[in-house]
Amino acid sequence: MAEITKLIDVSKCTGCRSCQLACKQWNQQPAKQTENYGTYQNPPDLQSNTWTLIRFQEIAEKDKVKWLFRKDGCMHCTNAACVKVCPSGALHYTDFGTVAVTNSLCIGCKECVSACPFEIPRYDRVTDKIYKCDLCLSRIEADLIPACAKACPTGAITFGDKNAMIKKAYARAKELGGDANVYGDKFVGGTHVIYVLTEKPRVYDALPDKPCVPFSLIVWKDMLKPLSLLAAGGVLAGSFLHYILHGPKLPDEPGKEEKGGE
Amino acid sequence: MRKGLIQATDGFERIVHWSLALSCIALCITGLGMMYQSFNFIGDMMGGLKSLKYVHNFTGVFFGVALYFTIRMWWKEAGIFSMPEDLAWIRCAGGYLWHVDKVPETGKYNPGQKMFFLVVAGFGVIMFLTGLMMWFPLSFPPLIVRLMYVLHALGFVVIFAFFFVHLYLGTIGSPGSLDAMLTGWVSRAWLKKQHPKWLKEMEEHGTLVVYGAEKPSAKGHH
Ligand code: HEM
Ligand code: SF4
Ligand code: SF4
Ligand code: SF4
């Protein structure tokens, strides 16, 4: 199956949050009690039942205020740190190149939470499992576009073939000019959610400048993990060789004890 | 029990040792069940991988307690090297690797056992501390937690490999040793070969407990 990509063009986003609501609706997630902390961003952060969130930022410029809206959520990495650490196989790649969760398999170890370079998975205490956007797997399997893309009234969220979307993103960034740039196709093997940003990445809240699979994960999963079985196997082989070549350490026969040593 | 056998370990020592050993094995097996998805089936025996996770976590707590008593009990005997005889022993690898005419005499634990003890105690403490933090990873900054997973995996590499060394040398690699862990009573010949200096010390101090003989004062560990 062909890889797909969701393109988020922040220049077209008006912060209406239709996507946020559509996501809740399609995935049957209730709202949680929230609090006003002096911004339109609501709820304050991603939650176990809020898989996508419009982050609101106010940037003060000379005599006016500029708004930045960014739709946050799972980036569906090609080299996904969360899949690399998940002990149960709950997090897995799909044929579309996206990263889905089989919640029945999740054991609530939260390893994915500290592994994800975008800080996406959220833990729910009640079910003892993690949750995140699955790029509407049930919809794309049925040839429908994701609920958030469907709901977006301005065309800020579009969805389609990976290469076509990347092309489209670069064309749009060029059209916008200035600091506009494409974010996502260049790191962690390329993400399956990409942005057209109007500002440099570091201007945005909670958006890493140069995300990567943490080095500690590579040491842990690619080096120490295989080494554990190799070392144990080596020791077993060594013990066997020791037994047949050098022999066990036997107590001396009675009478011969005085000699001592071997 | 046979007449003439010598008591090498007391009951407390054996209970602590078995507690540490069994919990360590259980932790290695359940840990493997989480490290390799191809070993996920180990969880099936416990009612699923989620139960396996909790078996691992609570066995970990038990391991921590056993480790505390182990270190307290054996620190003086196995945690400190006595020079120069330990150095001489190390230079000839205790006669384990090549032929040595006269292996330097060591006390209750030889330097090999001491090194083993120190590594297990050190990594045991690391496993306990990193494991605790990994159990509640959301309470710490991700950068710290990521390091904990690396240390936990490193400790596993060391402890898993050492376990097999220990298993070999405690059983077929040195026949007679297992008795010290099972019943606590060992033969004089084994003690003389394995721990000659300790035997002499016990004879000199009159602390040798010989089965069937008039009983001198046996000293416990606590
Ligand atoms: C001899 C001691 C121990 C061994 C050999 C051991 C081994 C392992 C292994 C192999 C893993 C899988 C790591 C991976 O996925 O690569 C693991 C995970 C883990 N261990 Fe241990 N462990 C030990 C002690 C402990 C202790 C004392 C605790 C806590 C009290 C603990 C808590 C954890 C936790 C929290 C995880 C992550 C999975 C989870 O959330 O349960 N471990 N351990
Ligand atoms: S963004 Fe995080 S949760 Fe999503 S696929 Fe990448 S690593 Fe996994
Ligand atoms: S919390 Fe669930 S999804 Fe995340 S790594 Fe653990 S088992 Fe996998
Ligand atoms: S793709 Fe689906 S699950 Fe992901 S944010 Fe959009 S609506 Fe939610």
Side-chain angles (χ1 to χ4, degrees):
Chain A
M1 210 168 294
E3 287 187 45
I4 53 80
T5 288
K6 183 168 81 180
L7 170 61
I8 301 169
D9 181 350
V10 302
S11 70
K12 290 185 181 164
C13 177
T14 59
C16 75
R17 287 187 292 222
S18 300
C19 54
Q20 228 174 288
L21 198 69
C23 180
K24 288 232 180 214
Q25 206 168 31
W26 177 258
N27 296 297
Q28 300 182 321
Q29 302 290 347
K32 260 189 190 159
Q33 182 68 39
T34 183
E35 60 188 300
N36 186 328
Y37 66 113
T39 136
Y40 287 106
Q41 187 170 313
N42 186 28
D45 201 355
L46 292 172
Q47 297 168 320
S48 56
N49 64 9
T50 304
W51 302 346
T52 190
L53 169 78
I54 299 293
R55 293 190 180 274
F56 285 66
Q57 263 174 284
E58 290 168 46
I59 309 257
E61 281 178 346
K62 278 169 266 158
D63 49 354
K64 58 176 186 169
V65 168
K66 186 163 75 180
W67 281 96
L68 293 185
F69 309 120
R70 180 174 74 87
K71 179 187 181 294
D72 198 4
C74 176
M75 298 293 287
H76 296 275
C77 315
T78 298
N79 298 325
C82 63
V83 174
K84 204 176 180 73
V85 298
C86 180
S88 67
L91 286 160
H92 61 274
Y93 298 111
T94 69
D95 293 340
F96 302 98
T98 59
V99 175
V101 202
T102 310
N103 284 110
S104 58
L105 290 180
C106 176
I107 61 171
C109 69
K110 314 174 199 82
E111 290 184 26
C112 52
V113 176
S114 30
C116 172
F118 299 96
E119 300 186 31
I120 297 300
R122 289 292 185 278
Y123 174 70
D124 176 45
R125 213 176 271 278
V126 178
T127 52
D128 192 18
K129 290 176 190 297
I130 67 93
Y131 299 88
K132 70 165 195 73
C133 156
D134 64 353
L135 230 154
C136 280
L137 185 62
S138 59
R139 289 180 65 94
I140 56 181
E141 275 175 340
D143 250 341
L144 298 168
I145 66 170
C148 53
K150 179 96 183 159
C152 180
T154 65
I157 310 172
T158 48
F159 175 86
D161 172 73
K162 184 179 167 187
N163 292 328
M165 293 319 255
I166 292 175
K167 232 193 204 147
K168 185 172 158 185
Y170 277 96
R172 175 64 180 162
K174 202 170 159 200
E175 185 185 340
L176 287 168
D179 279 346
N181 63 96
V182 178
Y183 181 98
D185 59 324
K186 292 280 192 307
F187 35 68
V188 290
T191 54
H192 292 82
V193 170
I194 60 175
Y195 288 103
V196 172
L197 300 174
T198 50
E199 311 288 326
K200 293 210 168 70
R202 73 180 119 77
V203 177
Y204 294 87
D205 277 346
L207 188 68
D209 210 6
K210 290 197 175 60
C212 61
V213 176
F215 180 63
S216 68
L217 255 60
I218 293 165
V219 177
W220 168 22
K221 291 291 178 180
D222 295 339
M223 292 151 94
L224 293 172
K225 180 178 157 183
L227 188 63
S228 67
L229 289 191
L230 274 177
V235 163
L236 277 174
S239 301
F240 178 71
L241 286 179
H242 182 265
Y243 193 80
I244 61 169
L245 294 179
H246 184 87
K249 189 170 179 181
L250 291 164
D252 297 315
E253 303 272 331
K256 291 205 267 165
E257 284 166 18
E258 293 316 309
K259 259 177 68 199
E262 296 236 17
Chain B
M1 225 54 67
R2 190 152 40 86
K3 230 178 146 174
L5 287 183
I6 294 165
Q7 189 180 23
T9 56
D10 59 33
F12 179 76
E13 230 174 337
R14 289 194 299 280
I15 288 178
V16 170
H17 191 186
W18 273 106
S19 303
L20 190 76
L22 290 177
S23 57
C24 184
I25 295 171
L27 286 165
C28 284
I29 294 174
T30 50
L32 272 176
M34 293 185 284
M35 188 180 246
Y36 289 87
Q37 277 179 20
S38 41
F39 288 144
N40 277 179
F41 69 86
I42 297 169
D44 297 346
M45 296 175 238
M46 305 170 191
L49 200 66
K50 194 158 190 155
S51 320
L52 176 141
K53 170 194 153 49
Y54 286 104
V55 169
H56 186 85
N57 297 162
F58 286 101
T59 308
V61 175
F62 182 86
F63 172 85
V65 175
L67 185 69
Y68 166 75
F69 283 108
T70 307
I71 293 177
R72 210 180 69 161
M73 171 174 89
W74 281 339
W75 184 259
K76 276 212 205 88
E77 294 161 345
I80 300 158
F81 288 92
S82 54
M83 295 301 168
E85 64 268 30
D86 277 357
L87 192 67
W89 190 96
I90 292 168
R91 290 180 116 138
C92 68
Y96 278 97
L97 298 182
W98 56 88
H99 179 82
V100 176
D101 277 334
K102 182 95 187 82
V103 178
E105 299 198 341
T106 54
K108 180 165 180 185
Y109 294 106
N110 66 44
Q113 290 173 305
K114 288 180 185 176
M115 285 187 257
F116 181 84
F117 169 82
L118 286 171
V119 169
V120 168
F123 276 99
V125 171
I126 290 178
M127 292 313 264
F128 183 72
L129 295 179
T130 56
L132 268 188
M133 291 175 76
M134 287 154 63
W135 195 352
F136 306 101
L138 305 187
S139 315
F140 307 93
L143 277 178
I144 307 277
V145 178
R146 285 176 192 163
L147 188 67
M148 296 301 116
Y149 286 110
V150 173
L151 287 176
H152 207 74
L154 176 69
F156 176 66
V157 171
V158 173
I159 287 179
F160 196 49
F162 267 54
F163 169 77
F164 289 106
V165 179
H166 196 57
L167 188 70
Y168 171 64
L169 289 177
T171 55
I172 59 169
S174 174
S177 301
L178 196 59
D179 293 333
M181 186 177 179
L182 287 174
T183 63
W185 296 91
V186 298
S187 71
R188 187 179 278 268
W190 176 82
L191 199 56
K192 184 147 183 108
K193 176 80 183 185
Q194 203 66 26
H195 307 287
K197 198 169 142 219
W198 185 36
L199 179 63
K200 274 184 210 147
E201 278 165 11
M202 288 196 293
E203 276 170 339
E204 274 164 29
H205 300 144
T207 50
L208 197 67
V209 185
V210 182
Y211 197 79
E214 284 303 307
K215 205 174 144 52
S217 60
K219 282 219 198 84
H221 258 99
H222 357 189

